[in-house]
């Protein structure tokens, strides 16, 4: 791969690393407390398996990107890298979708199930989760661009050989 093709993918991976690390850190540090009838309630990301999944997937994506930044670009593992890039896109999309569903219930509640909204009581927690979701969306979009760029390079390489 020429230097002109390596620089954009390197920069995209750096941006993806920043977004995924930001989403992980914001999620892990999201915490707020509320008091109701002399009882103290604490909202944190570990209360929901969905938020744990979101933090874990973003941490995995960060680790994968960190490894890929130092992976030799002239290696013959193009197929494998393409597959792993696709897996990262799919995992990030699934974690964001799950997190958005729980976030919507936390923000609006669900009158049919009798679930009350909690964002009025723990606004700091909801703001942190919103920020983490925005960073997660950015990471997913950047990973999708990485996948498209890698696929384009792979298909061009395949066309040149035939």
């Amino acid at each position: 791969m020429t230097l002109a093709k390596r620089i954009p993918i390197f920069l995209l991976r750096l941006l993806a690393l920043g977004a995924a690390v930001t989403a992980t850190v914001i999620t892990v540090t999201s915490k707020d407390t509320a008091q109701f009838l002399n009882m103290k309630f604490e909202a944190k990301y570990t209360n929901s398996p969905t938020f744990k999944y979101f933090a874990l997937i973003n941490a995995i994506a960060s680790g994968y990107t960190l490894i890929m930044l130092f992976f030799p670009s002239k290696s013959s593992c193009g197929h494998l890298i393409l597959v792993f890039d696709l897996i990262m896109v799919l995992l990030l999309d699934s974690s964001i979708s799950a997190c958005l569903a729980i976030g919507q219930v936390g923000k609006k509640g669900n009158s049919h199930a009798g679930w009350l909204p909690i964002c009025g009581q723990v606004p700091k927690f909801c703001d942190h989760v919103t920020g983490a979701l925005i960073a997660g969306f950015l990471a997913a979009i950047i990973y999708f661009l990485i996948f498209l760029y890698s696929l384009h390079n792979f298909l061009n390489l395949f066309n040149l050989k035939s």
Side-chain angles (χ1 to χ4, degrees):
M1 190 184 298
T2 66
L3 184 63
K5 289 184 180 178
R6 283 189 284 181
I7 290 174
I9 199 79
F10 182 79
L11 292 176
L12 281 172
R13 288 197 191 277
L14 271 179
L15 286 172
L17 177 65
V21 167
T22 302
T24 304
V25 169
I26 292 174
T27 302
V28 170
T29 59
S30 61
K31 183 179 179 181
D32 198 5
T33 56
Q35 192 155 350
F36 181 72
L37 297 174
N38 289 332
M39 295 177 68
K40 194 174 188 180
F41 297 99
E42 186 174 50
K44 51 188 174 181
Y45 90 100
T46 55
N47 292 345
S48 171
T50 305
F51 293 134
K52 289 181 191 177
Y53 176 64
F54 180 74
L56 178 69
I57 293 302
N58 276 289
I60 289 171
S62 300
Y64 168 73
T65 304
L66 197 58
I67 291 169
M68 292 310 297
L69 283 175
F70 300 107
F71 199 74
S73 60
K74 293 183 181 179
S75 70
S76 61
C77 300
H79 295 82
L80 194 59
I81 292 170
L82 190 63
V83 169
F84 281 138
D85 285 343
L86 178 62
I87 289 171
M88 285 302 124
V89 170
L90 295 175
L91 285 174
L92 284 168
D93 285 347
S94 72
S95 71
I96 289 168
S97 298
C99 226
L100 274 174
I102 294 299
Q104 181 68 16
V105 171
K107 188 172 180 112
K108 304 283 185 183
N110 186 335
S111 60
H112 301 292
W115 297 335
L116 299 174
I118 64 160
C119 284
Q121 288 75 31
V122 285
K124 183 179 159 191
F125 175 76
C126 289
D127 292 343
H128 267 81
V129 169
T130 302
L133 282 170
I134 291 169
F137 265 121
L138 286 175
I141 289 168
I142 294 168
Y143 275 102
F144 184 66
L145 291 174
I146 289 170
F147 172 71
L148 289 178
Y149 190 78
S150 298
L151 182 64
H152 174 74
N153 287 338
F154 178 73
L155 291 177
N156 280 348
L157 181 65
F158 182 70
N159 286 338
L160 291 176
K161 286 184 179 180
S162 50

